[in-house]
């Protein structure tokens, strides 16, 4: 299956979804005006992946800033990964900067909503 | 409601800024310590705006004048007891036909007379004389002396075709604020023979002094005024990211800023139903470790009750209830979810702030009002 790679822009994150390398990451800024449009190909890729996933799926979310429009897409992505957990061992790694309290708290909050392995990973 | 935020003088300040605002206008006002980093970031912001197709032929001249004007501060400001003064001012303003840069910085009183003489000399020259004068300085002065001979000022006058407008205000016993403004006429790509007088309001030095005083009185650190479309929003966001050291509070501030700016872009109204741009004004006030972010935009009067109810409701909730409402809205996929309307904006802002949102309306006419909202961002909630 072909990897999905999207370069970061001034208002959208870097995306790497690579089944062969078993690496999944969304990182950077997510501040687009139209968040639905941006997350569409990501959701489409994951739906294809769901047909024949790897045995383990570790998904890295390392966002510095994201707007509320993006949060609605991110929660949908997380809910999709929760569903996927019956076919592959899903683990979410939610990265947050040590001084970013809000990002830490959001991670904690989302981990209560999404019933899968959910790690909060601090970085400096 | 926070009285300090919505004092009559603050509201007047904003109402005056809105006066005559037009499509494409952008004003960036900074009051604080001017370091080389600040200068670089402001130049980056200006550069972004120069991508505008109409400005392309003028972009190198605008960039030069901005660069010289800003470096003028960092080069010539004097320190008090070794400390860089924290109340310098930079105003960059792009209006329909003009691009303007205005600065105010502290200098030692003993430099005043010499500076004034140089300004007068430059202002008395026509373009040919300035050309000759610039050539003369280049030829006869060493690199380090050229700054002292004010080659920068000569070049600014020459390339802008604008008279150098300046003024002084006594500050401390041995210091004076030096105000300076220069303007580029975007209509005339070729400067006229003699220097013209700038059109912008900052040419009035008394106005400028009062303006500077208002910024100081209101503890205003930054003002963004203009058309809030995504490119401007990102440029402003970027400049703040670079300018402010990352702290718990500044990260919160930046998160709230994005939400507030995109809110204006999505929900702001415009006078006279001109729909293709969204005028707004955002100010950031700093008091000790806390920040106050205040945004204002036009709103159609009939939308006021709904907005008021929404914010009142969010303000009335306890933290737990607020979190419940957040989760409910986040997971509400039944409503018509457009990229425009998530229903999360104010909930998110209120949660990050931890304190109720202050807001107010000022009637403009039968159809429109100005909407003000202020968010307090504290180190500890």
């Amino acid at each position: 299956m072909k990897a999905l790679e999207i370069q970061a822009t001034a208002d959208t994150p870097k995306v790497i979804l690579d089944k062969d390398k078993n690496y999944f990451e969304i990182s950077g800024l997510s501040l687009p005006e139209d968040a639905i449009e941006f997350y569409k190909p990501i959701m489409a890729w994951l739906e294809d992946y769901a047909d024949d996933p790897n045995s383990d799926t570790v998904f890295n979310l390392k966002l510095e800033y994201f707007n509320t429009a993006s949060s609605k897409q991110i929660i949908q992505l997380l809910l999709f990964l929760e569903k996927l957990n019956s076919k592959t061992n899903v683990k979410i790694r939610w990265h947050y900067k040590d001084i970013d309290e809000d990002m830490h708290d959001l991670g904690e909050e989302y981990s209560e909503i999404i019933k899968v392995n959910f790690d909060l990973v601090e970085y400096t | 409601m926070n009285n300090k935020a919505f004092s009559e003088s603050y509201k007047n300040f904003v109402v005056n800024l809105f006066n005559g605002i037009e499509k494409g206008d952008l004003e960036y006002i900074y009051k604080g310590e001017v370091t080389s980093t600040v200068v670089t970031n402001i130049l980056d912001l200006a550069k972004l705006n120069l991508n505008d197709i109409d400005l392309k032929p003028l972009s190198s001249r605008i960039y030069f004048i901005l660069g010289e004007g800003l470096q003028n501060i960092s080069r010539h400001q004097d320190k008090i007891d070794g400390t860089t003064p924290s109340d310098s001012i930079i105003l960059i303003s792009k209006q329909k036909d003009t691009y303007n840069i205005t600065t105010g910085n502290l200098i030692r009183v003993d430099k005043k007379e010499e500076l004034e003489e140089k300004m007068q000399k430059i202002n008395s020259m026509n373009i040919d004389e300035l050309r000759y004068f610039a050539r003369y300085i280049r030829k006869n002065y060493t690199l380090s002396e050229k700054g002292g001979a004010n080659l920068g000022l000569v070049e600014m006058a020459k390339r802008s075709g604008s008279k150098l407008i300046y003024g002084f205000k006594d500050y401390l016993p041995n210091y004076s604020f030096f105000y300076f403004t220069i303007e580029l006429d975007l209509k005339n790509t070729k400067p006229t023979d003699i220097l013209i007088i700038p059109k912008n309001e900052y040419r009035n030095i008394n106005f400028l002094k009062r303006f500077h005083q208002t910024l100081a009185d209101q503890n205003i650190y930054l003002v963004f005024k203009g058309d809030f479309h995504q490119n401007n929003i990102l440029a402003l966001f970027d400049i703040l990211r670079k300018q402010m050291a990352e702290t718990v509070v500044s990260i919160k501030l930046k998160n709230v800023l994005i939400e507030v700016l995109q809110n204006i872009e999505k929900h702001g109204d415009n006078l006279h139903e001109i729909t293709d741009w969204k005028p707004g004004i955002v100010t950031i006030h700093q008091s000790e470790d806390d920040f106050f972010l205040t945004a204002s935009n036009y709103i159609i009067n009939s939308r006021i009750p709904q907005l008021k109810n929404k914010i009142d409701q969010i303000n009335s909730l306890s933290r737990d209830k607020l979190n419940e409402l957040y989760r409910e809205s986040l997971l509400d996929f039944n409503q018509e979810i457009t990229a425009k309307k998530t229903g999360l904006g104010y909930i998110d802002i209120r949660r990050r702030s931890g304190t109720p949102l202050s807001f107010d309306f000022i009637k403009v006419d039968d159809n429109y009002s100005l909407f003000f909202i202020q968010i307090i961002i504290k180190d500890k909630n």
Side-chain angles (χ1 to χ4, degrees), chain B residues 285-300:
Chain B
H285 317 233
Q286 194 175 8
S287 81
E288 292 171 22
D289 289 337
D290 302 335
F291 287 101
F292 298 76
L293 194 148
T294 311
S296 43
N297 59 268
Y298 289 116
I299 178 167
I300 294 172

Side-chain angles (χ1 to χ4, degrees), chain B residues 286-337:
Chain B
Q286 194 175 8
S287 81
E288 292 171 22
D289 289 337
D290 302 335
F291 287 101
F292 298 76
L293 194 148
T294 311
S296 43
N297 59 268
Y298 289 116
I299 178 167
I300 294 172
N301 288 337
S302 60
R303 291 180 53 216
I304 290 177
Q306 197 195 348
L307 181 61
K308 192 178 172 306
N309 283 344
K310 181 163 187 178
I311 304 174
D312 277 339
Q313 190 222 347
I314 290 170
N315 275 343
S316 72
L317 298 176
S318 66
R319 181 168 281 259
D320 286 348
K321 289 277 176 210
L322 193 66
N323 289 344
E324 243 171 66
L325 182 64
Y326 174 82
R327 196 178 288 202
E328 222 171 82
S329 310
L330 183 71
L331 297 172
D332 182 1
F333 304 119
N334 293 326
Q335 72 178 37
E336 191 192 329
I337 312 165

Side-chain angles (χ1 to χ4, degrees), chain A:
Chain A
M1 163 173 203
K2 200 169 174 278
L4 177 69
E5 289 195 33
I6 304 172
Q7 295 297 316
T9 69
D11 59 359
T12 55
K14 174 178 147 188
V15 180
I16 303 172
L17 302 177
D18 194 328
K19 190 189 172 198
D20 295 345
K21 290 186 183 144
N22 201 18
Y23 190 76
F24 311 91
E25 176 194 309
I26 298 180
S27 61
L29 304 175
S30 186
L31 313 166
E33 288 174 280
D34 191 343
I36 296 175
E37 197 57 34
F38 179 77
Y39 284 89
K40 233 181 228 167
I42 297 169
M43 293 307 291
W45 191 93
L46 284 171
E47 270 166 35
D48 286 347
Y49 174 74
D51 292 340
D52 180 24
N54 296 339
S55 60
D56 292 287
T57 306
V58 179
F59 205 102
N60 287 286
L61 279 166
K62 193 176 180 179
L63 292 162
E64 277 179 76
Y65 291 93
F66 62 93
N67 57 6
T68 50
S70 298
S71 63
K72 211 138 190 170
Q73 301 308 308
I74 290 162
I75 201 74
Q76 297 206 69
L77 184 144
L78 291 172
L79 286 167
F80 186 82
L81 291 173
E82 184 184 39
K83 267 199 307 193
L84 201 63
N85 201 28
S86 57
K87 297 184 186 171
T88 161
N89 283 319
V90 173
K91 187 185 221 173
I92 314 287
R93 285 170 63 82
W94 182 275
H95 301 257
Y96 67 96
K97 203 173 242 179
D98 55 351
I99 52 168
D100 193 344
E101 287 175 354
D102 289 0
M103 195 60 85
H104 170 270
D105 293 353
L106 277 172
E108 221 169 48
E109 198 168 3
Y110 289 6
S111 74
E112 287 165 17
I113 300 173
I114 311 298
K115 305 276 181 283
V116 292
N117 235 320
F118 203 115
D119 286 351
L120 295 179
V121 187
E122 184 181 295
Y123 68 96
T124 51

Side-chain angles (χ1 to χ4, degrees), chain B residues 119 123 162-167 178-182 197-198 202-205:
Chain B
M119 293 276 187
N123 279 345
S162 160
K163 270 198 198 297
L164 310 175
I165 304 290
Y166 61 92
F178 167 56
Y179 293 102
F180 174 72
T181 186
I182 193 158
I197 294 169
Y202 303 120
R203 71 178 179 275
N204 179 341
I205 294 295

Side-chain angles (χ1 to χ4, degrees), chain B residues 109-122:
Chain B
V109 150
D110 55 305
K111 284 184 178 172
K112 198 169 140 180
E113 204 177 317
E114 195 191 343
L115 190 59
E116 200 156 14
E117 264 172 35
K118 277 174 187 160
M119 293 276 187
Q120 281 170 358
K121 185 174 174 187
I122 292 169

Side-chain angles (χ1 to χ4, degrees), chain B residues 2 12 64 99 135 157 178 183 195 252 267 353:
Chain B
N2 189 303
N12 284 338
F64 176 85
Y99 211 110
R135 217 174 292 146
F178 167 56
E183 186 172 282
L195 298 178
K252 260 186 212 290
H267 305 297
S353 159

Side-chain angles (χ1 to χ4, degrees), chain B residues 224-263:
Chain B
F224 306 137
K225 162 187 162 180
D227 183 359
F228 284 100
H229 56 69
Q230 180 78 346
N231 277 352
N232 274 347
I233 291 172
L234 291 176
L236 299 177
F237 179 69
D238 198 49
I239 204 170
L240 267 192
R241 271 181 85 201
K242 288 180 188 156
Q243 213 146 285
M244 301 178 85
E246 285 210 318
T247 62
V248 174
V249 184
S250 86
I251 291 175
K252 260 186 212 290
L253 174 73
K254 284 170 257 186
N255 270 308
V256 169
L257 180 80
I258 272 289
E259 233 23 76
V260 163
L261 295 176
Q262 291 189 332
N263 235 348

